[in-house]
Amino acid sequence: MPDHNPPAAALPPGLAAPPEVPWPEGLTRVPYWVFQREDVAALEQTQVFRGETWNYLCLEAEIANPGDYRATTLGGVPILAVRDHDGEIYAFENRCVHRGALIALEDFGHAREFTCVYHAWSYDLQGNLKGVAFKDGINGQGGMPECFRMSEHSPRKLRTAVVHGLVFASASDTVPPIEEYLGDEIMERIGRVLGGREVEVIGRFTQELPNNWKLYVENLRDSYHASLLHLFFTTFELNKLNMKGGLIVSESGGNHVSYSAIDREAEAKAANDYAAQNIRSESDYRLKDPSVLEGEDEFGDGVTLQILSVFPGFVLQQIQNALAIRQVVPRGVGRTDLHWTYFGFKDDSPALRKMRLKQGNLVGPAGYVSMEDGCVGGFVQRGVVGASDRHAVLEMGGTDAASTRTRATEASVRGFWKAYRACTGL
């Protein structure tokens, strides 16, 4: 298919100016202006993150007891996820209705109620306004007017849903139930890792990325790049495209699973595949302590790598025994925060817990198999400057966004754009 670049398009709803070029029909072209424009970023906040989507907030284990809370985000909006004394989880904007200050300043904690530090307006654990300092004034003077009703003033509240210990929320009243939104195959793959287990958080950090959030989301869905960019994967035979595995893409396109299993017999038969492509696949580096590569088949299916995403910005990761949640948060056109939460389970043996911690070195900003992901998005962000009238090409493995047994494909990247365009109307 030729890389055609048609003339500027009409003004789509929500944009301040016409795009530099129209977005072609189909799923194989992505215009670079979508990574560069402020009006696109603003549109995403309303149509994607506060639109017909479910967004990950936190682990249920992080708010296990009544009064526990977690300060998180929905897109760029600060959110509090709180467990009340009825055992239910509530989510509402972390924003005082008086003058807009944050209600809670810490990332997580325990509270009987929330009191804004600015003017001491207070809220219960469900986000209802319960107190206004000096509401009736002093000595008959000042105070709020008689017509002021606290029940009419609360931060916006969200729908919440819990899936195998993952807390999601939506600002939409019409988004389908979470089970329908995810689909049976994604639900099954989440249950494969988390089902019936008691999660225990073993580490957290935030990684700043020098690129648009969608470039990272493309990257994590891109099974094609993994064994080409990450030399550690191929050198130590953790992930190659000729291994057993496949790709699951939900009907909406927005959710996906990429998985692989080590198959020594298949590897031996296809040992020359990478050499025949004349691409780098091995290095001379060797590990002084190779125990980081040792793993336990804790899920009983031989799968050593599973990357699962939920549109728009959630990732559940299993690389060997290193388990983590990644939350993708846009911070501007060219900046993204990536929140990592490493976890294990309360019934981990000491040996398995040690293995998880050791294999945590595989991922993150300095991880053996993912440090390149923290850079390559920035390479694209810088590379497309001056190319807002050009398109990316996504034809590897076909033109659709369907599940497949090969990972030499960009089907799940095309799936993301299918869901994205359905949300934004672009």
Side-chain angles (χ1 to χ4, degrees), residues 55 101 126 139 157 162 186 231 263 265 273 293-294 326 329 341 357 367 391 404:
N55 293 262
Q126 297 183 21
N139 297 327
K157 299 177 181 179
V162 178
I186 304 299
L231 200 55
D263 182 347
E265 184 177 348
D273 287 352
L293 303 177
E294 298 170 358
R326 308 179 200 171
V329 179
T341 304
L357 294 170
H391 303 105
T404 173

Side-chain angles (χ1 to χ4, degrees), residues 22 38 65 206 212 272 393:
E38 295 283 354
N65 302 306
T206 296
N212 188 276
N272 296 323
V393 178

Side-chain angles (χ1 to χ4, degrees), residues 322-341:
L323 308 177
I325 303 294
R326 308 179 200 171
Q327 183 186 22
V328 183
V329 179
R331 292 300 187 194
V333 169
R335 184 185 156 209
T336 300
D337 281 352
L338 183 58
H339 299 303
W340 295 75
T341 304

Side-chain angles (χ1 to χ4, degrees), residues 363-394:
V363 294
Y368 296 142
V369 297
S370 72
M371 58 183 168
E372 296 95 339
D373 292 329
C375 302
V376 75
F379 297 165
V380 178
Q381 193 77 44
R382 291 157 54 192
V384 301
V385 171
S388 58
D389 59 343
R390 294 290 188 267
H391 303 105
V393 178
L394 298 175

Side-chain angles (χ1 to χ4, degrees), residues 279-392:
I279 54 179
R280 62 175 192 150
S281 61
E282 293 185 5
S283 73
D284 293 329
Y285 290 106
R286 292 294 177 264
L287 293 170
K288 190 172 183 178
D289 177 8
S291 64
V292 71
L293 303 177
E294 298 170 358
E296 177 179 320
D297 184 13
E298 65 178 301
F299 304 111
D301 55 9
V303 171
T304 52
L305 182 146
Q306 175 179 291
I307 301 296
L308 181 153
S309 71
V310 175
F311 186 86
F314 167 79
V315 184
L316 173 62
Q317 162 218 297
Q318 175 221 337
I319 299 178
Q320 303 279 74
N321 300 105
L323 308 177
I325 303 294
R326 308 179 200 171
Q327 183 186 22
V328 183
V329 179
R331 292 300 187 194
V333 169
R335 184 185 156 209
T336 300
D337 281 352
L338 183 58
H339 299 303
W340 295 75
T341 304
Y342 290 166
F343 67 91
F345 301 105
K346 288 191 174 179
D347 60 358
D348 282 350
S349 67
L352 181 56
R353 179 61 58 88
K354 183 177 181 180
M355 196 178 299
R356 294 194 200 287
L357 294 170
K358 184 177 289 188
Q359 291 176 354
N361 291 297
L362 297 174
V363 294
Y368 296 142
V369 297
S370 72
M371 58 183 168
E372 296 95 339
D373 292 329
C375 302
V376 75
F379 297 165
V380 178
Q381 193 77 44
R382 291 157 54 192
V384 301
V385 171
S388 58
D389 59 343
R390 294 290 188 267
H391 303 105

